[in-house]
Amino acid sequence: AVAALGAGSWWGPAVLSGPPTPASLVVLPFTNRGDPADTEYLGDGFADELTSALEARPGLRVAPRASAFQFKGSAADTRTVAAQLRVRAVLSGSIEPYGDRLKVTTQLVDGRNGVRLWSQSFDRKRGEAAIILDETVRGVAAALKVAGPPPPAREHLPSPEVEELYLRGVFLRAKGDPDSRQRGLECLEQAAAKDPAYAPALAAFAMVCAGQCYHAAPHKPQWAEKAKDSTRKALAADGGNAKAY
């Protein structure tokens, strides 16, 4: 599965079909409100990780990243986005770093009528983005009336350095130019190496390694082994990690 994802489905185009289901949504890229301007990676990376966290929640159908990110910077309203992607709701928000903290606002809007279903503001230390993710997943599930137990409490949080490497790596890998993709690979590799208990970074690095098998043929066995090893570590750290599966 990780090999298939690495081949392109993580960031590749995706098409949704059929009528919207009651518990379906899309996570749009978060608006960046930081200073200096080099904060774009935070909004994109946070939205990507939030998409994965919601995908792991039973009873929710989440539009793929590629479908959501086509609306980045778009002026399309909520109902247009929901209709085009055939989802019930649209989750959006903003993220602002200041000092050693992150300020995040989120809102879930009904795609049929534009009514706000749920919203929340968070102010957390750097390295605690995972807590914001968990609380957002709980809020979204409750608003969409998704049955089932909430996600278990996080037993491990990354350091601010590892969290930033991970989010920056996800952001850079999504860019099309070779230099950005290479720098993104290096960021994810560093994050995975610095914290072997941080499943999101391990899984993301595994997906990148799997993709390298298709672009670095002479070294395919080495990349394949790295992908397998990082996937195993990710699942050992978090048996419910959607990207690892």
Side-chain angles (χ1 to χ4, degrees):
V2 77
L5 287 167
S9 61
W10 186 12
W11 290 297
V15 177
L16 302 179
S17 61
T21 58
S24 58
L25 75 155
V26 60
V27 182
L28 297 181
F30 274 42
T31 302
N32 303 281
R33 302 191 184 282
D35 185 31
D38 182 27
T39 58
E40 187 179 5
Y41 74 94
L42 280 173
D44 286 14
F46 187 81
D48 183 82
E49 183 59 16
L50 184 54
T51 297
S52 294
L54 288 164
E55 286 172 342
R57 185 69 163 83
L60 279 176
R61 181 171 69 83
V62 186
R65 182 190 195 279
S67 297
F69 273 61
Q70 67 181 298
F71 293 101
K72 182 176 179 179
S74 168
D77 63 26
T78 299
R79 283 169 287 189
T80 299
V81 173
Q84 186 168 333
L85 298 183
R86 299 182 181 275
V87 293
R88 158 77 190 285
V90 177
L91 182 65
S92 61
S94 65
I95 185 166
E96 178 182 357
Y98 67 101
D100 63 348
R101 302 187 70 85
L102 284 177
K103 184 182 293 184
V104 179
T105 62
T106 59
Q107 66 172 0
L108 183 71
V109 176
D110 193 317
R112 299 168 300 183
N113 51 29
V115 172
R116 183 181 298 175
L117 299 172
W118 173 83
S119 64
Q120 185 68 51
S121 296
F122 304 91
D123 192 326
R124 289 279 188 176
K125 293 180 180 179
R126 293 281 191 115
E128 294 184 344
I131 296 177
I132 300 175
L133 291 169
D134 289 346
E135 293 184 14
T136 300
V137 170
R138 292 189 185 96
V140 168
L144 295 179
K145 297 179 171 58
V146 176
R154 297 269 178 168
E155 297 183 358
H156 177 76
L157 292 175
S159 68
E161 178 190 10
V162 168
E163 183 178 83
E164 180 163 332
L165 282 168
Y166 166 69
L167 293 175
R168 190 179 290 275
V170 170
F171 168 71
L172 289 169
R173 286 296 299 180
K175 289 181 169 288
D177 62 287
D179 179 63
S180 293
R181 292 178 63 80
Q182 177 60 33
R183 288 190 292 123
L185 184 156
E186 293 168 359
C187 285
L188 292 174
E189 185 171 23
Q190 289 177 50
K194 287 178 179 292
D195 190 346
Y198 188 41
L202 291 162
F205 181 57
M207 298 175 86
V208 170
C209 290
Q212 289 295 108
C213 291
Y214 297 87
H215 305 293
H219 305 289
K220 179 175 180 177
Q222 295 94 316
W223 286 113
E225 191 55 41
K226 284 186 178 183
K228 293 176 185 177
D229 180 63
S230 196
T231 302
R232 294 189 190 103
K233 290 178 179 177
L235 291 174
D238 177 6
N241 186 275
K243 284 183 180 176
Y245 280 105

